[in-house]
Amino acid sequence: MSKEQKDAVLTTSHLGIDFGGLTAVDEFNISIAPTEIKGLIGPNGAGKTTIFNMLTGVYRPSRGTITLNGKDTKNMSPVQVNHAGIARTFQNIRLFDKLTVEENVKIGLHENVKYGMFSGILRLPSYWKEEKRSHERALELLDIFGMADEADVRADSLPYGAQRRLEIVRALATDPKLLLLDEPAAGMNPSETEELMKNIRKIRDDFKIAVMLIEHDMNLVMGICENIVVVNFGKIIAEGTPEMIQNDARVIEAYLGGKKEED
Amino acid sequence: MEFIRKLKKHTKVSFLNYGIVIAFYFAVQIMAVTGHLSNSLKGQLIPIVSYVIVALALNLVVGISGELSLGHAGFMSVGAFSGVVVSMSVADSIPNPGLRLVIAILVGAALAGVAGVVIGIPVLRLNGDYLAIVTLAFGEIIKNVMNCLYVGVDGKGIHVSFKDTASLGMAADGKILINGPMGATGITKLSTFMAGTILLVIVLVIIQNLVNSRTGLAIMAIRDNRIAAEASGVPVTKHKLIAFVTSAAIAGAAGALYALNYSTIAPKKFDFNTSILILVFVVLGGIGNMTGTIIAAALLTMLPELLRKFADYRMLIYAIVLILVMIATNNEKIRSFIRGIGKSAKKEDGANE
Amino acid sequence: MLANLINGISLGSVYAIIALGYTMVYGIAKMLNFAHGDVIMVGGYISFCSITYLGWPPALAVLASVAVCTVLGIVIEGLAYKPLRNATSLAVLITAIGVSYFLQNAALLIWTSNTKVFPNIFANLPAIQMGGTQVAPVTVITVLANIVIMVALTLFTSRTKMGKAMRAVSEDKGAATLMGINVNRTISMTFAIGSGLAAIAGVLLCTAYPTLMPTTGAMPGIKAFTAAVFGGIGSIPGAMLGGVLLGVIEIFGKAYVSTQLSDAIVFAVLIIVLLVKPTGLLGHQVREKV
């Protein structure tokens, strides 16, 4: 194991998954440094979200290993993976629609709020103390995106861009070491995307965490990612800095060839 | 006024619900004193309270946890018969009827809660309609088993059989408590309206405080989006189970209260139709809406009595009203029409200000 | 043993015919039609009245039942379920329960709660000897009817235009609409077929167990629904398999374990099957996309 891998927050080796005999992802080897922003790009259907699903325990990999801070997370459930330190957002937004913005963030804080069911029912002092703490923490986190004013709004009545931002706040609330963002800028206009880029960097700097993001907006990817992994047909075809990726013949080929079979 | 405005919305709703229950209690007391309480209503007070409690319990599962249960009468049944057995077998050692009622309700709740765990652990992995059918099946199994249950008590203690009374092998001084399909007979009535109201307030405290705590929030998050809840580190089965078991235990307590209001009670009382009846209370009251559930359960329990003059037609009317209400509240066109009226009314209000 | 098996298959065949109605409606409209059991009861009463009061021959009475129930199915769907096409499944479920109450109480008003004794419409057919046991004609006819219906439905859904439309609607309502399929008409047709089958099931059930009350359909309805889930709801062969297995389990449970607990056994088996195979014996698993 190289030094780089030893220090990494997450490493995968020979990671792969088959669906009914069809190989969806194979030989996926990456390593993410503790405060790195990494891009995961590739044409539609390349297996990017499948990779996220494997990393977060939604799918069980058919082979290979996933190591998070020295711990093997390959056979963990999504809940265990989250507790181990990976948080994520979803390509198709998954908020708790009928809960308020603040309550959505409080779900992220769930593990962190320390009072039991009976303290809650009997309204013991620990309930009041911890509820106050989680309320303050939720507002603090919402403030990263300037959303503290909308704390009492129902999540499903937020505009699209704000819903994406709320998902990020909720993921952050779980206190992760690695944040996985699945198309965070989808559906945002250029000025919102610009704002988002700034905030992703700010999150990385303030929370000292690693970020890996799937994104089709190349301005965003090239603008903030320090390293980029390109996948096609479930395999890594290129890896390196934005400059290297932009000039890689295989990547250009994959994107031009991939256009025809967009889903 | 400033104080009230500062309260959170759910806190206001909670206090509104306590207020409704207490107001109902005092209204009944005033009617009783002034002689306006009819005998038929008086006889219905405890059933009303029991059904309100069990409907609140079901709303915890259907509205808060988002799972459909078609077998809640089964939990009532477990609570009812265990409550009866306990209250009657401790009759000699504990002469105080109030204390006996409390013990019966606690035991009924505990055993129904145990039934909830036994059923919930395997079943809560299923989702949607499959969970519904399995809860239905469990409700029917409980009814069926109760139909074959014979319990007696004598000097040596409690005897149980699934065959007949003879095989209980009781001493001469023994007393049959539960007699198969005939159910429990010769019950000493212990339930009072006041006890029922107190139980209802306690149940409201438990449910509302649970819902407005971190546990309740987690349960609702799982309802809204299970995958996102898991990804946020919220254990799913544990929270579904908390909602289900709490609900089962409360239904059991309601069952004990209900049964100890009658001198006889048969297992048939807690069949599929009763489960559905409770579900209707919840749906008509507004899924997840505790205030609505209280009002719907109380009114609909009284309704057959109020429709008495329509005699034979009353259930037919009930059915038609049920269908019409469901269509009126769920049809998209009708809903947007009503919303339109609401909006234009609001606009006019705004213009007047 | 053999007698029990034959009785079980016969009872199971009735469940299967009812379950077909449940499963087709569920497959297409994704709703639990709890009023389906009560359509059986209506079918039973129509036949009963045609034979006993009007003196019609049994064959004509059965046709009358089928006709009335088919129309009833279409009317129920049009009046009660159609306005709720995009509502939550719980709203539709409660409405179906309302329809069930309506049918039971309408029957109560028309035919009173007195038990009617259903005439044996196969009285002039001889009993059949099979391996030393006598098999009643109704038993044989029920099993045969089940097989005929099963084959006919399979051919219908795979060969005819309407049958293919039904399959398309059950797969994907939106896509079916885009393909020019009239979804409302297809759903209506499904209810018509399901209800017509319920009428046949009603006559067979009442001939085998000749007591008729407004609540006659309720329990067989729940059992048949269980059978549909057991076999994998939405699947036609699943309904058939589930129904027959359920009937056999029920009769064997009655014969060898306990008469009173037979229903509990049936439901316990259902639960075990669902825990092992959460979508029923022949149902297929749909994975949620993340």
Side-chain angles (χ1 to χ4, degrees), chain A:
Chain A
M1 199 183 262
S2 69
K3 181 171 181 320
E4 182 200 314
Q5 278 179 328
K6 218 182 266 172
D7 292 340
V9 59
L10 180 99
T11 51
T12 64
S13 73
H14 310 295
L15 194 63
I17 188 167
D18 306 331
F19 292 121
L22 235 80
T23 301
V25 174
D26 202 22
E27 284 300 315
F28 186 74
N29 302 303
I30 56 161
S31 138
I32 305 176
T35 56
E36 182 182 354
I37 299 180
K38 207 185 215 38
L40 179 60
I41 65 171
N44 282 326
K48 302 182 297 291
T49 298
T50 305
I51 291 167
F52 269 23
N53 284 339
M54 281 195 285
L55 295 181
T56 52
V58 176
Y59 294 159
R60 185 140 301 178
S62 308
R63 58 197 160 270
T65 59
I66 305 172
T67 315
L68 179 74
N69 281 330
K71 252 186 287 177
D72 179 10
T73 66
K74 188 178 129 192
N75 294 318
M76 285 185 179
S77 70
V79 176
Q80 290 168 324
V81 171
N82 178 271
H83 294 173
I86 300 181
R88 72 176 289 184
T89 66
F90 297 88
Q91 187 179 344
N92 46 340
I93 301 176
R94 288 178 173 273
L95 287 172
F96 309 120
D97 287 341
K98 296 191 188 93
L99 303 185
T100 66
V101 168
E102 180 182 338
E103 286 168 337
N104 267 272
V105 182
K106 278 183 169 173
I107 291 298
L109 294 168
H110 183 84
E111 258 313 283
N112 209 342
V113 179
K114 308 270 182 234
Y115 69 87
M117 176 182 155
F118 291 101
S119 314
I121 291 174
L122 300 172
R123 297 276 152 112
L124 298 179
S126 62
Y127 164 84
W128 297 106
K129 202 184 101 213
E130 288 290 299
E131 276 296 314
K132 184 163 176 279
R133 197 173 63 87
S134 88
H135 168 70
E136 283 162 2
R137 181 71 183 142
L139 291 187
E140 224 174 271
L141 288 165
L142 281 168
D143 218 31
I144 299 174
F145 288 104
M147 291 175 76
D149 291 343
E150 290 155 312
D152 294 328
V153 174
R154 242 175 77 143
D156 59 359
S157 63
L158 285 178
Y160 193 77
Q163 294 198 2
R164 287 221 172 272
R165 288 190 284 270
L166 177 56
E167 259 205 321
I168 299 177
V169 178
R170 182 182 68 193
L172 267 182
T174 66
D175 199 14
K177 302 280 175 293
L178 169 64
L179 182 60
L180 304 180
L181 304 176
D182 200 341
E183 299 195 24
M188 287 189 180
N189 61 38
S191 73
E192 279 182 308
T193 307
E194 192 67 31
E195 184 77 29
L196 179 72
M197 280 168 71
K198 256 193 274 168
N199 282 318
I200 291 175
R201 253 193 231 110
K202 186 169 151 26
I203 287 167
R204 188 268 309 267
D205 295 340
D206 292 357
F207 291 80
K208 308 262 183 298
I209 59 173
V211 179
M212 176 150 83
L213 52 91
I214 296 175
E215 190 47 70
H216 286 295
D217 185 327
M218 285 306 146
N219 285 331
L220 184 140
V221 176
M222 299 299 165
I224 64 170
C225 293
E226 286 132 8
N227 279 293
I228 296 170
V229 175
V230 190
V231 288
N232 196 18
F233 300 114
K235 283 191 176 134
I236 295 177
I237 56 167
E239 197 176 355
T241 61
E243 295 73 38
M244 286 158 69
I245 296 301
Q246 269 166 326
N247 301 316
D248 192 302
R250 281 164 304 175
V251 177
I252 295 163
E253 149 90 43
Y255 269 85
L256 293 179
K259 276 245 165 79
K260 283 181 213 152
E261 41 189 31
E262 230 165 281
D263 53 22

Side-chain angles (χ1 to χ4, degrees), chain B residues 25-41:
Chain B
Y25 177 77
F26 283 109
V28 168
Q29 295 303 334
I30 291 168
M31 282 163 79
V33 171
T34 55
H36 286 86
L37 188 64
S38 68
N39 270 334
S40 70
L41 180 60

Side-chain angles (χ1 to χ4, degrees), chain B residues 62 68 70 122-123 125-126 129-130 132-134 136-138 140-141 143-145 147-148 150 162-163 181 225-227 272-273 276-277 279-280 283-284 287 312-313 315-316 318-320 322-323 326-327 330-332, chain C residues 26 30 32 34 79-80 82-84 86-91 93-95 97-99 101-102 105-106 109 219 222 225-226 229 232-233 258 260-264 267-268 270-271 274-276 278-280 288-290:
Chain B
V62 176
L68 185 53
L70 298 177
V123 156
R125 294 187 306 146
L126 301 170
D129 296 333
Y130 288 93
I133 182 77
V134 170
L136 186 164
F138 267 112
E140 289 298 307
I141 290 174
K143 186 188 80 182
N144 229 274
V145 170
N147 258 325
C148 309
Y150 297 84
F162 282 97
K163 234 174 108 204
N225 201 315
R226 186 181 56 82
I227 287 169
F272 175 63
N273 285 324
I276 291 298
L277 190 72
L279 184 64
V280 168
V283 173
L284 289 188
I287 295 161
D312 297 342
Y313 293 93
M315 281 310 289
L316 201 64
Y318 181 83
I320 294 170
L322 186 61
I323 297 169
M326 288 323 289
I327 292 176
N330 288 284
N331 182 278
E332 278 179 352
Chain C
Y26 186 89
K30 295 284 172 286
L32 304 175
F34 265 111
L79 288 182
K82 202 170 159 192
L84 295 172
N86 294 315
T88 60
S89 61
L90 188 55
L93 177 78
I94 300 288
T95 309
I97 285 160
V99 173
Y101 283 173
F102 178 83
N105 287 288
L109 286 175
M219 203 56 198
I222 292 180
F225 173 42
T226 309
V229 177
I233 198 154
S258 154
Q260 286 139 335
L261 283 176
S262 67
D263 285 356
F267 288 117
L270 167 82
I271 292 167
L274 283 187
L275 292 179
V276 178
T279 47
E288 193 177 355
K289 199 167 154 53
V290 180

Side-chain angles (χ1 to χ4, degrees), chain A residues 79, chain B residues 124 222 226-227 229-230 234-241:
Chain A
V79 176
Chain B
L124 288 171
I222 293 162
R226 186 181 56 82
I227 287 169
E230 283 180 327
V234 175
V236 169
T237 311
K238 176 187 155 192
H239 284 98
K240 278 189 180 180
L241 203 60

